[in-house]
């Protein structure tokens, strides 16, 4: 029998518009392929002209959230406003009224998942968030419904399209960070204030959500180490390229015997790593499960129709199910006390130094590495001008704390003019 569901969309920006378009244009298709008849019963959008231009009937433009949540024809509320201000108020009101919520809001979800979930459970409402992570790539449902047989050992991904666009442009065209950012802004990938993307906050929210699902443990934002791409230079990207590496902003989660490791930072990957060829604004997530082995999902992490695709998949799922499921781990704001985190993680490191080009300098630098129990796997020296040289050192797997100590010592040496950069390498 055809199931019916009425939807309200809060916010008709890029993603709200894409969601509206998919739901209205494909209504008949969903009836045939999914056995659900989904109608848009209300929209909440301050810009009435925008709503009308998308084809929304005037009678469906609501004047307030109260009007939306008291509408008996609305079963599912789609929140695509973003941020944690009105979005949080509206989502909470919808859940309190027993409406199922579908959201694309990673910040809201990463910060307030426990309290939103508690409200949803109380009201037996659904709470869906496929579009919050990696846009159109169905990573949430893969983790929830496709990987149950596995203990997920690691999740590594390019989970922010803006920074991937910037890094790709720097690599392919030799642009500086500033030039690439400007172009990303011109194309609408980066916002006027790009902080959330370039400083890694967006990726941190996503990694917090994804690693919680992957490892069945609450991983709070505060548990995720974060470093953005603002200090990345074209010199390092070019140097890495010569040495066989591609620079990406990776979200990395590992569930090891020593504990959970979760971090977002610029990372060199070998050119033959599948993540190295994920370019422009594309996203990808690589998973390792103990039964299935490796899986990789690739696609668009943003945009009207890709993100709309993820939202509509949640809407259809909600319309087809009468009973909802929630996180299978203790979902609280502090995380589970028993979860151990690895604070001093290990990695390979790429370190670039500007040094005096004189006898004994390299030996002195090597001595600092030896003293800190750091084993060097590769050294490259490029002669410069004015008696200076560039030295690039790649370590074997080393402890982060030992590398930091060595860098401090190197920076204090007379022979070292500057420690230009330290970049982790992921195999
Ligand atoms: N700004 C994000 C990105 C898209 O660049 O990937 C939404 O999270």
């Amino acid at each position: 029998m055809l199931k019916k569901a009425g939807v309200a969309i809060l916010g008709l920006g890029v993603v709200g518009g894409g969601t509206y378009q998919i739901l209205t244009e494909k209504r008949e298709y969903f009836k045939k392929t999914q056995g659900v008849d989904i109608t848009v019963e209300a929209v909440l959008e301050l810009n009435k002209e925008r709503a009308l231009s998308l084809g929304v009937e005037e009678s469906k433009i609501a004047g307030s959230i109260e009007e939306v949540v008291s509408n008996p024809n609305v079963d599912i509320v789609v929140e695509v406003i973003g941020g944690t201000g009105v979005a949080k108020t509206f989502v909470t009101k919808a859940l309190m009224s027993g409406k199922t919520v579908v959201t694309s809001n990673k910040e809201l979800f990463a910060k307030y998942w426990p309290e939103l979930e508690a409200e949803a459970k109380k009201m037996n409402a659904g709470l869906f968030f496929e579009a919050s992570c990696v846009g159109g790539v169905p990573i949430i449902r893969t983790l929830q419904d496709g990987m149950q047989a596995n203990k997920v050992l690691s999740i590594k991904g390019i989970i922010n399209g803006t920074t991937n666009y910037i890094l790709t442009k720097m690599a392919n065209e030799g642009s500086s960070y500033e030039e690439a950012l400007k172009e990303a802004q011109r194309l609408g990938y980066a916002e006027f204030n790009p902080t959330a993307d370039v400083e890694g906050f967006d990726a941190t929210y996503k990694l917090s959500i994804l690693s919680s699902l992957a490892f069945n443990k609450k991983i709070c934002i505060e548990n995720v180490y974060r470093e953005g791409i603002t200090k990345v230079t074209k010199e390092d990207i070019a140097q890495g390229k010569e040495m066989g590496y591609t620079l990406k902003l990776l979200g990395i989660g590992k569930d090891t015997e020593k504990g959970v490791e979760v971090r977002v930072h610029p990372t060199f990957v070998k050119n033959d790593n599948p993540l190295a060829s994920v370019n422009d604004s594309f996203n990808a997530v690589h998973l390792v499960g103990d039964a299935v082995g490796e899986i990789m999902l690739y696609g668009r992490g943003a945009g009207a129709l890709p993100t709309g695709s993820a939202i509509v998949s949640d809407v259809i799922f909600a319309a087809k199910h009468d009973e909802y499921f929630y996180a299978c781990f203790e979902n609280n704001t502090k995380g589970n006390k028993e979860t151990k985190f690895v604070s001093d993680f290990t990695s390979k490191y790429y370190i670039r130094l500007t040094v005096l080009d004189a006898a004994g300098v390299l030996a002195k630098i090597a001595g600092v590495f030896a003293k800190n129990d750091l084993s060097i796997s590769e050294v490259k020296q490029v002669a410069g001008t004015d008696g200076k040289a560039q030295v690039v050192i790649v370590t074997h797997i080393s402890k982060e704390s030992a590398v930091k100590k060595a860098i401090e010592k190197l920076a204090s040496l007379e022979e070292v003019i500057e420690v230009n950069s330290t970049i982790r390498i992921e195999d």
Side-chain angles (χ1 to χ4, degrees):
M1 205 183 86
L2 199 61
K3 286 197 168 189
K4 285 180 183 290
V7 171
I9 305 175
L10 311 183
L12 282 182
V14 174
V15 176
T19 304
Y20 182 80
Q21 185 187 338
I22 297 173
L23 284 175
T24 49
E25 287 180 1
K26 296 198 162 160
R27 182 174 168 192
E28 292 306 316
Y29 178 72
F30 296 146
K31 279 199 220 167
K32 267 195 262 161
T33 59
Q34 301 298 319
V36 288
D37 184 15
I38 298 169
T39 49
V40 179
E41 295 293 333
V43 302
L44 189 59
E45 168 58 50
L46 288 177
N47 183 348
K48 201 169 160 189
E49 292 310 310
R50 160 84 178 154
L52 293 172
S53 74
L54 286 169
V56 181
E57 285 169 39
E58 194 152 2
S59 62
K60 303 265 159 123
I61 305 175
S64 67
I65 186 66
E66 283 71 27
E67 203 184 311
V68 172
V69 299
S70 61
N71 184 339
N73 296 327
V74 171
D75 307 295
I76 301 165
V77 173
V78 171
E79 182 275 309
V80 277
I81 299 167
T84 55
V86 286
K88 179 165 183 271
T89 310
F90 290 2
V91 163
T92 307
K93 283 191 177 176
L95 292 171
M96 282 169 71
S97 309
K99 309 287 185 197
T100 282
V101 166
V102 171
T103 179
S104 62
N105 192 333
K106 72 260 356 166
E107 183 181 0
L108 176 72
F109 214 74
K111 290 183 178 168
Y112 299 107
W113 183 357
E115 71 178 78
L116 299 178
E117 186 175 282
E119 197 58 52
K121 271 184 183 165
K122 199 165 86 191
M123 300 303 292
N124 193 28
L127 182 58
F128 295 91
F129 49 99
E130 179 65 72
S132 69
C133 296
V134 207
V137 177
I139 180 66
I140 304 279
R141 197 144 297 123
T142 298
L143 287 168
Q144 286 181 319
D145 293 328
M147 297 286 285
Q148 301 95 320
N150 295 266
K151 172 176 164 55
V152 177
L153 304 171
S154 71
I155 174 163
K156 293 180 195 172
I158 294 169
I159 53 180
N160 181 271
T162 305
T163 47
N164 203 36
Y165 174 83
I166 292 172
L167 294 176
T168 305
K169 196 158 175 71
M170 289 174 77
N172 291 353
E173 294 172 28
S175 316
S176 68
Y177 165 74
E178 288 76 18
E179 287 162 346
L181 170 62
K182 260 197 194 137
E183 186 60 8
Q185 284 170 320
R186 193 185 69 76
L187 292 170
Y189 294 137
E191 314 234 352
F192 176 68
N193 176 354
T195 308
D197 290 316
V198 298
E199 292 292 5
F201 290 104
D202 176 84
T204 299
Y205 300 145
K206 291 169 183 166
L207 187 62
S208 154
I209 298 169
L210 293 175
S211 54
S212 297
L213 293 173
F215 306 145
N216 299 301
K217 305 175 168 90
K218 176 67 183 189
I219 311 293
C220 301
I221 307 168
E222 297 71 33
N223 298 128
V224 183
Y225 173 86
R226 176 187 56 80
E227 210 177 288
I229 63 159
T230 52
K231 295 196 184 85
V232 167
T233 64
K234 60 181 179 184
E235 286 77 16
D236 286 313
I237 292 185
Q239 192 55 249
K241 216 179 196 180
E242 276 187 26
M243 298 170 86
Y245 297 113
T246 305
L247 192 71
K248 296 290 178 192
L249 181 72
L250 286 197
I252 300 171
K254 296 180 187 174
D255 193 4
T256 70
E257 277 173 15
K258 288 186 190 148
V260 173
E261 219 176 290
V262 264
R263 42 195 168 103
V264 168
H265 52 68
T267 312
F268 273 130
V269 290
K270 280 264 184 210
N271 286 341
D272 60 4
N273 183 312
L275 290 170
S277 46
V278 175
N279 285 322
D280 299 315
S281 64
F282 277 92
N283 285 201
V285 182
H286 178 272
L287 298 168
V288 180
D290 64 352
V292 71
E294 292 183 83
I295 288 185
M296 187 150 139
L297 286 95
Y298 167 89
R300 290 235 173 251
L305 296 179
T307 311
S309 158
I311 289 171
V312 172
S313 82
D314 274 349
V315 168
I316 291 173
F317 189 94
K320 283 168 129 176
H321 294 81
D322 301 319
E323 212 180 315
Y324 303 112
F325 297 92
Y326 307 97
C328 56
F329 45 83
E330 193 189 330
N331 197 1
N332 61 43
T333 49
K334 299 223 158 51
N336 190 324
K337 276 198 204 100
E338 278 136 42
T339 306
K340 276 195 294 175
F341 287 92
V342 179
S343 51
D344 193 9
F345 54 82
T346 58
S347 176
K348 291 184 180 177
Y349 290 80
Y350 156 107
I351 298 157
R352 181 165 65 90
L353 311 162
T354 306
V355 301
L356 292 179
D357 199 358
V361 172
L362 214 49
K364 201 153 182 191
I365 291 170
V368 173
F369 279 78
K371 204 154 187 202
N372 285 283
D373 206 18
L374 295 171
S375 170
I376 293 171
S377 82
E378 207 176 335
V379 180
K380 192 177 167 204
Q381 177 167 340
V382 185
T385 47
D386 307 331
K388 294 180 199 165
Q390 292 273 306
V391 174
V392 175
I393 295 172
V394 174
T395 69
H396 284 295
I397 299 257
S398 313
K399 277 196 168 175
E400 174 97 357
S401 58
V403 172
K404 278 194 175 146
K405 259 189 170 171
I407 302 269
E408 252 174 53
K409 180 68 192 164
L410 288 169
S412 73
L413 296 181
E414 261 174 35
E415 296 83 349
V416 174
I417 298 162
E418 192 183 350
V419 178
N420 301 90
S421 43
T422 308
I423 299 174
R424 300 170 189 92
I425 300 172
E426 191 70 23
D427 277 337

